[in-house]
Amino acid sequence: MEKHKLIVDSVVVRFGEKTVLSGGYITSETGMVTGLLGRNGAGKSCMFRALMGGLKVENVMVSMDEAPVDRQIIGRSIKYLPQGKLLPDGITLKRAFELYGVNYWGFINRFPRYSRYHDAALWELSGGEARLAELCLVLLSESPFYILDEPFSQIDPVNIEAVQKLIRERSQDHGIIVTDHNYDAISSVADNLFVIADGYTSPVHCREDLVRYGYLK
């Protein structure tokens, strides 16, 4: 497997007088799952949006294999599951999977219940069903790196383990960054952890670090 390394550094996000991030930083390597933790409003989603070009920020530096990433074509190197909706309500699952170059029937092999939704529009699915389809759409597409913002949100508890299994499986040949409020779900799949607190990102070496940065009590 060819190894790749992604570095996101010096992320500065301000909204008027409010500074959300002063030194956002995270790295990812193919073959690993990196977890990003932080309390509500810490800036996790802001950092991802800044990275992907969806948020105008004061500063952000992105490199892959020590070369700057062209922000205009960053979607070729990183597939992104946002915290909100990924797809418009009117698109059918069949069309969505075609656009992402993902085999729908391979998805069905993992989640057979979706066989009846092949021609269904997204609005016809429940929130949890749509979220799971979007998550798999991203993870099963081809890209060196994936960023997953709240991938366990709305997911039926019976599918949490299947999602964790898929993340571990895809991380064998890809780099995955994941953030979620479900600490147990993240900690069980992550090979390393970072935490955002007071505008800065820091590596997590032990549980005490999370207590010190105010994430855990």
PDB file of all heavy atoms in Angstrom, residues 101-133:
ATOM      1  N   GLY A 101     -19.386   7.343  -8.013  1.00  0.00           N
ATOM      2  CA  GLY A 101     -18.645   6.207  -8.542  1.00  0.00           C
ATOM      3  C   GLY A 101     -18.625   5.008  -7.613  1.00  0.00           C
ATOM      4  O   GLY A 101     -17.660   4.239  -7.590  1.00  0.00           O
ATOM      5  N   VAL A 102     -19.692   4.842  -6.847  1.00  0.00           N
ATOM      6  CA  VAL A 102     -19.773   3.740  -5.876  1.00  0.00           C
ATOM      7  C   VAL A 102     -20.805   2.721  -6.353  1.00  0.00           C
ATOM      8  O   VAL A 102     -21.907   3.089  -6.799  1.00  0.00           O
ATOM      9  CB  VAL A 102     -20.173   4.271  -4.479  1.00  0.00           C
ATOM     10  CG1 VAL A 102     -20.312   3.113  -3.488  1.00  0.00           C
ATOM     11  CG2 VAL A 102     -19.140   5.273  -3.981  1.00  0.00           C
ATOM     12  N   ASN A 103     -20.463   1.443  -6.248  1.00  0.00           N
ATOM     13  CA  ASN A 103     -21.365   0.364  -6.641  1.00  0.00           C
ATOM     14  C   ASN A 103     -22.488   0.245  -5.617  1.00  0.00           C
ATOM     15  O   ASN A 103     -22.256  -0.126  -4.465  1.00  0.00           O
ATOM     16  CB  ASN A 103     -20.581  -0.951  -6.739  1.00  0.00           C
ATOM     17  CG  ASN A 103     -21.422  -2.094  -7.291  1.00  0.00           C
ATOM     18  OD1 ASN A 103     -22.578  -2.256  -6.921  1.00  0.00           O
ATOM     19  ND2 ASN A 103     -20.827  -2.884  -8.164  1.00  0.00           N
ATOM     20  N   TYR A 104     -23.715   0.541  -6.052  1.00  0.00           N
ATOM     21  CA  TYR A 104     -24.846   0.505  -5.127  1.00  0.00           C
ATOM     22  C   TYR A 104     -25.076  -0.893  -4.573  1.00  0.00           C
ATOM     23  O   TYR A 104     -25.425  -1.063  -3.405  1.00  0.00           O
ATOM     24  CB  TYR A 104     -26.111   1.006  -5.830  1.00  0.00           C
ATOM     25  CG  TYR A 104     -27.289   1.171  -4.902  1.00  0.00           C
ATOM     26  CD1 TYR A 104     -27.393   2.286  -4.083  1.00  0.00           C
ATOM     27  CD2 TYR A 104     -28.296   0.196  -4.826  1.00  0.00           C
ATOM     28  CE1 TYR A 104     -28.479   2.438  -3.224  1.00  0.00           C
ATOM     29  CE2 TYR A 104     -29.372   0.342  -3.965  1.00  0.00           C
ATOM     30  CZ  TYR A 104     -29.460   1.467  -3.172  1.00  0.00           C
ATOM     31  OH  TYR A 104     -30.514   1.619  -2.308  1.00  0.00           O
ATOM     32  N   TRP A 105     -24.857  -1.900  -5.385  1.00  0.00           N
ATOM     33  CA  TRP A 105     -25.146  -3.265  -4.946  1.00  0.00           C
ATOM     34  C   TRP A 105     -24.084  -3.771  -3.974  1.00  0.00           C
ATOM     35  O   TRP A 105     -24.362  -4.664  -3.164  1.00  0.00           O
ATOM     36  CB  TRP A 105     -25.301  -4.169  -6.154  1.00  0.00           C
ATOM     37  CG  TRP A 105     -26.421  -3.652  -7.015  1.00  0.00           C
ATOM     38  CD1 TRP A 105     -26.312  -3.059  -8.242  1.00  0.00           C
ATOM     39  CD2 TRP A 105     -27.817  -3.589  -6.678  1.00  0.00           C
ATOM     40  NE1 TRP A 105     -27.539  -2.644  -8.684  1.00  0.00           N
ATOM     41  CE2 TRP A 105     -28.484  -2.958  -7.754  1.00  0.00           C
ATOM     42  CE3 TRP A 105     -28.556  -4.015  -5.565  1.00  0.00           C
ATOM     43  CZ2 TRP A 105     -29.855  -2.733  -7.751  1.00  0.00           C
ATOM     44  CZ3 TRP A 105     -29.931  -3.788  -5.569  1.00  0.00           C
ATOM     45  CH2 TRP A 105     -30.567  -3.161  -6.645  1.00  0.00           C
ATOM     46  N   GLY A 106     -22.893  -3.189  -4.026  1.00  0.00           N
ATOM     47  CA  GLY A 106     -21.919  -3.487  -2.985  1.00  0.00           C
ATOM     48  C   GLY A 106     -22.377  -2.951  -1.641  1.00  0.00           C
ATOM     49  O   GLY A 106     -22.170  -3.575  -0.587  1.00  0.00           O
ATOM     50  N   PHE A 107     -23.014  -1.791  -1.675  1.00  0.00           N
ATOM     51  CA  PHE A 107     -23.612  -1.207  -0.478  1.00  0.00           C
ATOM     52  C   PHE A 107     -24.751  -2.092   0.031  1.00  0.00           C
ATOM     53  O   PHE A 107     -24.890  -2.323   1.236  1.00  0.00           O
ATOM     54  CB  PHE A 107     -24.099   0.203  -0.821  1.00  0.00           C
ATOM     55  CG  PHE A 107     -25.000   0.842   0.189  1.00  0.00           C
ATOM     56  CD1 PHE A 107     -24.561   1.082   1.487  1.00  0.00           C
ATOM     57  CD2 PHE A 107     -26.286   1.236  -0.164  1.00  0.00           C
ATOM     58  CE1 PHE A 107     -25.394   1.696   2.414  1.00  0.00           C
ATOM     59  CE2 PHE A 107     -27.120   1.850   0.754  1.00  0.00           C
ATOM     60  CZ  PHE A 107     -26.670   2.079   2.042  1.00  0.00           C
ATOM     61  N   ILE A 108     -25.546  -2.609  -0.896  1.00  0.00           N
ATOM     62  CA  ILE A 108     -26.665  -3.474  -0.519  1.00  0.00           C
ATOM     63  C   ILE A 108     -26.171  -4.744   0.171  1.00  0.00           C
ATOM     64  O   ILE A 108     -26.814  -5.265   1.084  1.00  0.00           O
ATOM     65  CB  ILE A 108     -27.506  -3.847  -1.761  1.00  0.00           C
ATOM     66  CG1 ILE A 108     -28.185  -2.608  -2.329  1.00  0.00           C
ATOM     67  CG2 ILE A 108     -28.556  -4.902  -1.418  1.00  0.00           C
ATOM     68  CD1 ILE A 108     -29.056  -1.865  -1.351  1.00  0.00           C
ATOM     69  N   ASN A 109     -25.035  -5.250  -0.247  1.00  0.00           N
ATOM     70  CA  ASN A 109     -24.493  -6.449   0.397  1.00  0.00           C
ATOM     71  C   ASN A 109     -24.216  -6.205   1.874  1.00  0.00           C
ATOM     72  O   ASN A 109     -24.298  -7.126   2.695  1.00  0.00           O
ATOM     73  CB  ASN A 109     -23.196  -6.877  -0.302  1.00  0.00           C
ATOM     74  CG  ASN A 109     -23.451  -7.508  -1.652  1.00  0.00           C
ATOM     75  OD1 ASN A 109     -24.536  -8.030  -1.909  1.00  0.00           O
ATOM     76  ND2 ASN A 109     -22.453  -7.466  -2.533  1.00  0.00           N
ATOM     77  N   ARG A 110     -23.905  -4.964   2.224  1.00  0.00           N
ATOM     78  CA  ARG A 110     -23.638  -4.616   3.620  1.00  0.00           C
ATOM     79  C   ARG A 110     -24.934  -4.307   4.375  1.00  0.00           C
ATOM     80  O   ARG A 110     -25.072  -4.651   5.551  1.00  0.00           O
ATOM     81  CB  ARG A 110     -22.715  -3.394   3.705  1.00  0.00           C
ATOM     82  CG  ARG A 110     -21.340  -3.603   3.113  1.00  0.00           C
ATOM     83  CD  ARG A 110     -20.545  -2.299   3.087  1.00  0.00           C
ATOM     84  NE  ARG A 110     -19.252  -2.467   2.459  1.00  0.00           N
ATOM     85  CZ  ARG A 110     -18.154  -2.840   3.105  1.00  0.00           C
ATOM     86  NH1 ARG A 110     -18.208  -3.075   4.405  1.00  0.00           N
ATOM     87  NH2 ARG A 110     -17.010  -2.973   2.465  1.00  0.00           N
ATOM     88  N   PHE A 111     -25.854  -3.647   3.684  1.00  0.00           N
ATOM     89  CA  PHE A 111     -27.104  -3.228   4.319  1.00  0.00           C
ATOM     90  C   PHE A 111     -28.274  -3.607   3.405  1.00  0.00           C
ATOM     91  O   PHE A 111     -28.795  -2.789   2.656  1.00  0.00           O
ATOM     92  CB  PHE A 111     -27.090  -1.710   4.572  1.00  0.00           C
ATOM     93  CG  PHE A 111     -25.972  -1.263   5.472  1.00  0.00           C
ATOM     94  CD1 PHE A 111     -24.802  -0.746   4.930  1.00  0.00           C
ATOM     95  CD2 PHE A 111     -26.070  -1.381   6.849  1.00  0.00           C
ATOM     96  CE1 PHE A 111     -23.760  -0.332   5.753  1.00  0.00           C
ATOM     97  CE2 PHE A 111     -25.041  -0.984   7.682  1.00  0.00           C
ATOM     98  CZ  PHE A 111     -23.879  -0.463   7.136  1.00  0.00           C
ATOM     99  N   PRO A 112     -28.693  -4.882   3.447  1.00  0.00           N
ATOM    100  CA  PRO A 112     -29.706  -5.408   2.518  1.00  0.00           C
ATOM    101  C   PRO A 112     -31.031  -4.648   2.540  1.00  0.00           C
ATOM    102  O   PRO A 112     -31.734  -4.626   1.526  1.00  0.00           O
ATOM    103  CB  PRO A 112     -29.892  -6.856   2.994  1.00  0.00           C
ATOM    104  CG  PRO A 112     -28.603  -7.200   3.687  1.00  0.00           C
ATOM    105  CD  PRO A 112     -28.156  -5.925   4.338  1.00  0.00           C
ATOM    106  N   ARG A 113     -31.375  -4.018   3.637  1.00  0.00           N
ATOM    107  CA  ARG A 113     -32.668  -3.347   3.732  1.00  0.00           C
ATOM    108  C   ARG A 113     -32.796  -2.211   2.718  1.00  0.00           C
ATOM    109  O   ARG A 113     -33.905  -1.798   2.382  1.00  0.00           O
ATOM    110  CB  ARG A 113     -32.887  -2.799   5.145  1.00  0.00           C
ATOM    111  CG  ARG A 113     -31.905  -1.733   5.572  1.00  0.00           C
ATOM    112  CD  ARG A 113     -32.184  -1.232   6.969  1.00  0.00           C
ATOM    113  NE  ARG A 113     -33.465  -0.572   7.065  1.00  0.00           N
ATOM    114  CZ  ARG A 113     -33.932  -0.047   8.203  1.00  0.00           C
ATOM    115  NH1 ARG A 113     -33.232  -0.171   9.318  1.00  0.00           N
ATOM    116  NH2 ARG A 113     -35.094   0.566   8.218  1.00  0.00           N
ATOM    117  N   TYR A 114     -31.652  -1.711   2.198  1.00  0.00           N
ATOM    118  CA  TYR A 114     -31.696  -0.602   1.250  1.00  0.00           C
ATOM    119  C   TYR A 114     -32.001  -1.058  -0.181  1.00  0.00           C
ATOM    120  O   TYR A 114     -32.092  -0.217  -1.074  1.00  0.00           O
ATOM    121  CB  TYR A 114     -30.364   0.159   1.256  1.00  0.00           C
ATOM    122  CG  TYR A 114     -30.201   1.080   2.448  1.00  0.00           C
ATOM    123  CD1 TYR A 114     -29.785   0.580   3.670  1.00  0.00           C
ATOM    124  CD2 TYR A 114     -30.465   2.449   2.343  1.00  0.00           C
ATOM    125  CE1 TYR A 114     -29.635   1.417   4.771  1.00  0.00           C
ATOM    126  CE2 TYR A 114     -30.319   3.291   3.430  1.00  0.00           C
ATOM    127  CZ  TYR A 114     -29.904   2.768   4.654  1.00  0.00           C
ATOM    128  OH  TYR A 114     -29.764   3.588   5.740  1.00  0.00           O
ATOM    129  N   SER A 115     -32.171  -2.338  -0.398  1.00  0.00           N
ATOM    130  CA  SER A 115     -32.448  -2.817  -1.755  1.00  0.00           C
ATOM    131  C   SER A 115     -33.742  -2.217  -2.300  1.00  0.00           C
ATOM    132  O   SER A 115     -33.879  -1.994  -3.506  1.00  0.00           O
ATOM    133  CB  SER A 115     -32.524  -4.344  -1.777  1.00  0.00           C
ATOM    134  OG  SER A 115     -33.556  -4.800  -0.907  1.00  0.00           O
ATOM    135  N   ARG A 116     -34.672  -1.917  -1.411  1.00  0.00           N
ATOM    136  CA  ARG A 116     -35.957  -1.357  -1.856  1.00  0.00           C
ATOM    137  C   ARG A 116     -35.889   0.150  -2.108  1.00  0.00           C
ATOM    138  O   ARG A 116     -36.865   0.746  -2.570  1.00  0.00           O
ATOM    139  CB  ARG A 116     -37.039  -1.658  -0.821  1.00  0.00           C
ATOM    140  CG  ARG A 116     -36.870  -0.974   0.533  1.00  0.00           C
ATOM    141  CD  ARG A 116     -38.025  -1.381   1.439  1.00  0.00           C
ATOM    142  NE  ARG A 116     -38.030  -0.703   2.724  1.00  0.00           N
ATOM    143  CZ  ARG A 116     -37.406  -1.148   3.809  1.00  0.00           C
ATOM    144  NH1 ARG A 116     -36.708  -2.270   3.744  1.00  0.00           N
ATOM    145  NH2 ARG A 116     -37.479  -0.477   4.946  1.00  0.00           N
ATOM    146  N   TYR A 117     -34.747   0.768  -1.797  1.00  0.00           N
ATOM    147  CA  TYR A 117     -34.617   2.217  -1.951  1.00  0.00           C
ATOM    148  C   TYR A 117     -33.824   2.618  -3.197  1.00  0.00           C
ATOM    149  O   TYR A 117     -33.489   3.779  -3.367  1.00  0.00           O
ATOM    150  CB  TYR A 117     -33.931   2.821  -0.723  1.00  0.00           C
ATOM    151  CG  TYR A 117     -34.749   2.767   0.543  1.00  0.00           C
ATOM    152  CD1 TYR A 117     -34.141   2.411   1.754  1.00  0.00           C
ATOM    153  CD2 TYR A 117     -36.097   3.079   0.542  1.00  0.00           C
ATOM    154  CE1 TYR A 117     -34.887   2.369   2.927  1.00  0.00           C
ATOM    155  CE2 TYR A 117     -36.841   3.035   1.704  1.00  0.00           C
ATOM    156  CZ  TYR A 117     -36.236   2.680   2.900  1.00  0.00           C
ATOM    157  OH  TYR A 117     -36.978   2.641   4.053  1.00  0.00           O
ATOM    158  N   HIS A 118     -33.534   1.666  -4.060  1.00  0.00           N
ATOM    159  CA  HIS A 118     -32.672   1.937  -5.207  1.00  0.00           C
ATOM    160  C   HIS A 118     -33.123   3.154  -6.018  1.00  0.00           C
ATOM    161  O   HIS A 118     -32.317   4.001  -6.397  1.00  0.00           O
ATOM    162  CB  HIS A 118     -32.622   0.703  -6.116  1.00  0.00           C
ATOM    163  CG  HIS A 118     -31.709   0.847  -7.286  1.00  0.00           C
ATOM    164  ND1 HIS A 118     -32.163   0.855  -8.591  1.00  0.00           N
ATOM    165  CD2 HIS A 118     -30.369   1.004  -7.359  1.00  0.00           C
ATOM    166  CE1 HIS A 118     -31.143   1.001  -9.421  1.00  0.00           C
ATOM    167  NE2 HIS A 118     -30.045   1.094  -8.697  1.00  0.00           N
ATOM    168  N   ASP A 119     -34.416   3.264  -6.252  1.00  0.00           N
ATOM    169  CA  ASP A 119     -34.950   4.368  -7.048  1.00  0.00           C
ATOM    170  C   ASP A 119     -35.643   5.424  -6.185  1.00  0.00           C
ATOM    171  O   ASP A 119     -36.328   6.301  -6.713  1.00  0.00           O
ATOM    172  CB  ASP A 119     -35.935   3.844  -8.097  1.00  0.00           C
ATOM    173  CG  ASP A 119     -35.247   2.955  -9.132  1.00  0.00           C
ATOM    174  OD1 ASP A 119     -34.219   3.385  -9.683  1.00  0.00           O
ATOM    175  OD2 ASP A 119     -35.719   1.828  -9.352  1.00  0.00           O
ATOM    176  N   ALA A 120     -35.461   5.339  -4.878  1.00  0.00           N
ATOM    177  CA  ALA A 120     -36.123   6.275  -3.974  1.00  0.00           C
ATOM    178  C   ALA A 120     -35.332   7.574  -3.868  1.00  0.00           C
ATOM    179  O   ALA A 120     -34.098   7.593  -3.933  1.00  0.00           O
ATOM    180  CB  ALA A 120     -36.277   5.642  -2.595  1.00  0.00           C
ATOM    181  N   ALA A 121     -36.056   8.683  -3.711  1.00  0.00           N
ATOM    182  CA  ALA A 121     -35.417   9.973  -3.450  1.00  0.00           C
ATOM    183  C   ALA A 121     -35.038  10.031  -1.972  1.00  0.00           C
ATOM    184  O   ALA A 121     -35.621   9.332  -1.126  1.00  0.00           O
ATOM    185  CB  ALA A 121     -36.360  11.108  -3.794  1.00  0.00           C
ATOM    186  N   LEU A 122     -34.081  10.868  -1.670  1.00  0.00           N
ATOM    187  CA  LEU A 122     -33.571  10.933  -0.300  1.00  0.00           C
ATOM    188  C   LEU A 122     -34.671  11.298   0.696  1.00  0.00           C
ATOM    189  O   LEU A 122     -34.669  10.801   1.825  1.00  0.00           O
ATOM    190  CB  LEU A 122     -32.431  11.959  -0.231  1.00  0.00           C
ATOM    191  CG  LEU A 122     -31.498  11.813   0.980  1.00  0.00           C
ATOM    192  CD1 LEU A 122     -30.679  10.547   0.892  1.00  0.00           C
ATOM    193  CD2 LEU A 122     -30.581  13.030   1.098  1.00  0.00           C
ATOM    194  N   TRP A 123     -35.610  12.145   0.285  1.00  0.00           N
ATOM    195  CA  TRP A 123     -36.656  12.577   1.212  1.00  0.00           C
ATOM    196  C   TRP A 123     -37.574  11.433   1.637  1.00  0.00           C
ATOM    197  O   TRP A 123     -38.289  11.535   2.643  1.00  0.00           O
ATOM    198  CB  TRP A 123     -37.490  13.718   0.611  1.00  0.00           C
ATOM    199  CG  TRP A 123     -38.279  13.364  -0.615  1.00  0.00           C
ATOM    200  CD1 TRP A 123     -37.908  13.536  -1.912  1.00  0.00           C
ATOM    201  CD2 TRP A 123     -39.584  12.776  -0.654  1.00  0.00           C
ATOM    202  NE1 TRP A 123     -38.886  13.094  -2.769  1.00  0.00           N
ATOM    203  CE2 TRP A 123     -39.928  12.623  -2.024  1.00  0.00           C
ATOM    204  CE3 TRP A 123     -40.498  12.371   0.308  1.00  0.00           C
ATOM    205  CZ2 TRP A 123     -41.143  12.064  -2.425  1.00  0.00           C
ATOM    206  CZ3 TRP A 123     -41.709  11.814  -0.100  1.00  0.00           C
ATOM    207  CH2 TRP A 123     -42.013  11.674  -1.447  1.00  0.00           C
ATOM    208  N   GLU A 124     -37.551  10.331   0.881  1.00  0.00           N
ATOM    209  CA  GLU A 124     -38.395   9.192   1.211  1.00  0.00           C
ATOM    210  C   GLU A 124     -37.800   8.333   2.322  1.00  0.00           C
ATOM    211  O   GLU A 124     -38.474   7.449   2.854  1.00  0.00           O
ATOM    212  CB  GLU A 124     -38.616   8.333  -0.040  1.00  0.00           C
ATOM    213  CG  GLU A 124     -39.342   9.046  -1.167  1.00  0.00           C
ATOM    214  CD  GLU A 124     -39.527   8.163  -2.374  1.00  0.00           C
ATOM    215  OE1 GLU A 124     -40.321   7.204  -2.292  1.00  0.00           O
ATOM    216  OE2 GLU A 124     -38.871   8.420  -3.413  1.00  0.00           O
ATOM    217  N   LEU A 125     -36.539   8.570   2.672  1.00  0.00           N
ATOM    218  CA  LEU A 125     -35.880   7.813   3.731  1.00  0.00           C
ATOM    219  C   LEU A 125     -36.017   8.558   5.057  1.00  0.00           C
ATOM    220  O   LEU A 125     -36.203   9.778   5.085  1.00  0.00           O
ATOM    221  CB  LEU A 125     -34.400   7.619   3.414  1.00  0.00           C
ATOM    222  CG  LEU A 125     -34.005   6.523   2.426  1.00  0.00           C
ATOM    223  CD1 LEU A 125     -34.547   6.797   1.033  1.00  0.00           C
ATOM    224  CD2 LEU A 125     -32.475   6.393   2.386  1.00  0.00           C
ATOM    225  N   SER A 126     -35.926   7.825   6.150  1.00  0.00           N
ATOM    226  CA  SER A 126     -35.885   8.475   7.455  1.00  0.00           C
ATOM    227  C   SER A 126     -34.541   9.191   7.606  1.00  0.00           C
ATOM    228  O   SER A 126     -33.602   8.956   6.823  1.00  0.00           O
ATOM    229  CB  SER A 126     -36.039   7.436   8.570  1.00  0.00           C
ATOM    230  OG  SER A 126     -34.875   6.619   8.661  1.00  0.00           O
ATOM    231  N   GLY A 127     -34.426  10.064   8.593  1.00  0.00           N
ATOM    232  CA  GLY A 127     -33.168  10.784   8.806  1.00  0.00           C
ATOM    233  C   GLY A 127     -31.996   9.853   9.034  1.00  0.00           C
ATOM    234  O   GLY A 127     -30.907  10.059   8.496  1.00  0.00           O
ATOM    235  N   GLY A 128     -32.218   8.793   9.821  1.00  0.00           N
ATOM    236  CA  GLY A 128     -31.151   7.839  10.101  1.00  0.00           C
ATOM    237  C   GLY A 128     -30.760   7.028   8.883  1.00  0.00           C
ATOM    238  O   GLY A 128     -29.579   6.756   8.652  1.00  0.00           O
ATOM    239  N   GLU A 129     -31.759   6.644   8.083  1.00  0.00           N
ATOM    240  CA  GLU A 129     -31.480   5.880   6.867  1.00  0.00           C
ATOM    241  C   GLU A 129     -30.694   6.722   5.865  1.00  0.00           C
ATOM    242  O   GLU A 129     -29.743   6.248   5.236  1.00  0.00           O
ATOM    243  CB  GLU A 129     -32.788   5.412   6.231  1.00  0.00           C
ATOM    244  CG  GLU A 129     -33.506   4.329   7.012  1.00  0.00           C
ATOM    245  CD  GLU A 129     -34.891   4.036   6.467  1.00  0.00           C
ATOM    246  OE1 GLU A 129     -35.501   4.953   5.871  1.00  0.00           O
ATOM    247  OE2 GLU A 129     -35.378   2.907   6.645  1.00  0.00           O
ATOM    248  N   ALA A 130     -31.083   7.993   5.728  1.00  0.00           N
ATOM    249  CA  ALA A 130     -30.378   8.881   4.803  1.00  0.00           C
ATOM    250  C   ALA A 130     -28.946   9.117   5.266  1.00  0.00           C
ATOM    251  O   ALA A 130     -28.010   9.132   4.456  1.00  0.00           O
ATOM    252  CB  ALA A 130     -31.122  10.213   4.689  1.00  0.00           C
ATOM    253  N   ARG A 131     -28.763   9.287   6.579  1.00  0.00           N
ATOM    254  CA  ARG A 131     -27.422   9.543   7.113  1.00  0.00           C
ATOM    255  C   ARG A 131     -26.502   8.352   6.874  1.00  0.00           C
ATOM    256  O   ARG A 131     -25.335   8.520   6.493  1.00  0.00           O
ATOM    257  CB  ARG A 131     -27.509   9.844   8.606  1.00  0.00           C
ATOM    258  CG  ARG A 131     -26.195  10.297   9.242  1.00  0.00           C
ATOM    259  CD  ARG A 131     -25.711  11.577   8.615  1.00  0.00           C
ATOM    260  NE  ARG A 131     -24.543  12.123   9.322  1.00  0.00           N
ATOM    261  CZ  ARG A 131     -23.856  13.171   8.891  1.00  0.00           C
ATOM    262  NH1 ARG A 131     -24.217  13.795   7.784  1.00  0.00           N
ATOM    263  NH2 ARG A 131     -22.816  13.620   9.562  1.00  0.00           N
ATOM    264  N   LEU A 132     -26.997   7.152   7.072  1.00  0.00           N
ATOM    265  CA  LEU A 132     -26.186   5.960   6.858  1.00  0.00           C
ATOM    266  C   LEU A 132     -25.811   5.829   5.382  1.00  0.00           C
ATOM    267  O   LEU A 132     -24.670   5.479   5.049  1.00  0.00           O
ATOM    268  CB  LEU A 132     -26.939   4.716   7.325  1.00  0.00           C
ATOM    269  CG  LEU A 132     -26.220   3.376   7.153  1.00  0.00           C
ATOM    270  CD1 LEU A 132     -24.877   3.375   7.882  1.00  0.00           C
ATOM    271  CD2 LEU A 132     -27.086   2.228   7.651  1.00  0.00           C
ATOM    272  N   ALA A 133     -26.755   6.118   4.489  1.00  0.00           N
ATOM    273  CA  ALA A 133     -26.466   6.046   3.051  1.00  0.00           C
ATOM    274  C   ALA A 133     -25.399   7.066   2.665  1.00  0.00           C
ATOM    275  O   ALA A 133     -24.472   6.760   1.896  1.00  0.00           O
ATOM    276  CB  ALA A 133     -27.743   6.281   2.246  1.00  0.00           C
TER     277      ALA A 133
END
